[in-house]
Amino acid sequence: MSNLRSGLVTGVALLSTGLLAGAFGYGVVNVAATFDVVPLDVRLTFHTALMQRNGVVMQTAMALAAVSSAALAFLNRGRTRQLAGIAAVLVVTSFLVTRFGNVPINGRIKVWAVTSAPADHAAILDRWETYNVIRTVAALTAFVLIIVASRLDRVH
């Protein structure tokens, strides 16, 4: 039963951290890069629509990744526990960066989409992109750590 439970938790941790890293990675490589080459009004309109759809999906992925990584740490010991614990902290970091970095800027972008962007909009959008890269690196690192932890778990 313990191996079954550990295997299930490992699978959920791999899936959820992989989905989170993949979604953020796709966003950095494709969506944010596209934002830089389209007119500002197109970016603001698309960004607003995307954030409305992303909210529930990304929050669910972050919660599942954090809980499953923490559970994996709890169920194991030694190096596997450390790696899974660090992964959980990194997922929480991606959540905090999103919540206190990207989300407030998303709120401003939503207003700009129906009014107009302020003179300093480029600096604010650059800050959004910086937060986006930080949360992506945190999520990707968490995923890699869960992969390594899952391989260590199989050895022991």
Side-chain angles (χ1 to χ4, degrees), residues 12-25 65 139-140 142-144 146-147:
V12 172
L14 283 165
L15 179 62
S16 60
T17 58
L19 287 172
L20 185 64
F24 280 146
L140 180 59
F143 180 44
V144 169
I146 293 298
I147 292 170

Side-chain angles (χ1 to χ4, degrees), residues 24-34:
F24 280 146
Y26 181 85
V28 165
V29 172
N30 293 300
V31 178
T34 302

